[in-house]
Each structure stands twice: as structure tokens, then as C-alpha cells.
Amino acid sequence: MARNETPGSVRVRTDDGNEWRYDAIEKAARFYDCNRSNAIAFACNDVDTLVTAARRVLERDDLTLKQRREIAETLSTKAVSFDVETEVAVQTKGEM
């Protein structure tokens, strides 16, 4: 979005079953020690970085499948889940 298209404010609905959003925003504001608007922006920026880092950890070759699955379970949240699968490849002599 271009700078001149940025709205002056953005609302977050917290009614009709979305009350949990307010609590999440308040929790983020306490975590980042800032106002709610900045907390939302910080959390949005951080999520991509954290998910990318988690993916890198789960793709490490020095971890066992069990370790990867335990880490994936630990890092999974209400909105983001990590799943670790194994991939088995078979190469025949004709493919060499």
C-alpha cells in the first residue's frame, strides 16, 4: 500500500465472538511495553520472522525426527501449527 493510501486509523472488531482479540492485544502491549497500536504492528512484523526461524530449526539435519516433532509441537500456537513429515525417496539403478 502506498504511503498516501494508508488509512488514518484501523479498527479491530472485538464484539460478536471476537472478544479474545482485545485480550490478545492487551497481552501484546504488556509484552512489548507499548501502546496497543504499536503492539499490533510489532506482533505482525515479528510473526513472519519467528515462523521463518522456526522453519529453519525444524529443517536442521542434526535433529532426529522425534526432536523435530517435539519442537514443532512446542512452537505451534492457536493460529500457527508446524507439522514435520518424513520424505522417503527410492532411487533405482536405472535412475542412476
Side-chain angles (χ1 to χ4, degrees), residues 52-66:
T52 299
R55 185 176 303 212
R56 275 195 311 262
V57 168
L58 293 172
E59 291 173 345
R60 286 177 33 181
D61 291 335
D62 62 330
L63 298 173
T64 66
L65 179 59
K66 181 180 179 187

Side-chain angles (χ1 to χ4, degrees), residues 17-30:
N18 294 310
E19 293 82 4
W20 64 272
R21 291 176 177 175
Y22 185 79
D23 293 332
I25 293 167
E26 286 291 311
K27 189 175 179 180
R30 285 191 302 275

Side-chain angles (χ1 to χ4, degrees), residues 18-81:
N18 294 310
E19 293 82 4
W20 64 272
R21 291 176 177 175
Y22 185 79
D23 293 332
I25 293 167
E26 286 291 311
K27 189 175 179 180
R30 285 191 302 275
F31 176 80
Y32 288 111
D33 192 25
C34 63
N35 64 44
R36 291 186 295 265
S37 295
N38 283 339
I40 292 169
F42 292 151
C44 290
N45 284 330
D46 285 351
V47 73
D48 183 57
T49 302
L50 293 170
V51 169
T52 299
R55 185 176 303 212
R56 275 195 311 262
V57 168
L58 293 172
E59 291 173 345
R60 286 177 33 181
D61 291 335
D62 62 330
L63 298 173
T64 66
L65 179 59
K66 181 180 179 187
Q67 289 171 321
R68 289 179 195 180
R69 286 186 173 155
E70 288 172 352
I71 293 167
E73 184 178 335
T74 300
L75 296 176
S76 292
T77 66
K78 185 187 303 187
V80 177
S81 63

Side-chain angles (χ1 to χ4, degrees), residues 9-22:
S9 65
V10 178
R11 292 180 46 194
V12 176
R13 294 195 59 105
T14 57
D15 59 351
D16 297 329
N18 294 310
E19 293 82 4
W20 64 272
R21 291 176 177 175
Y22 185 79

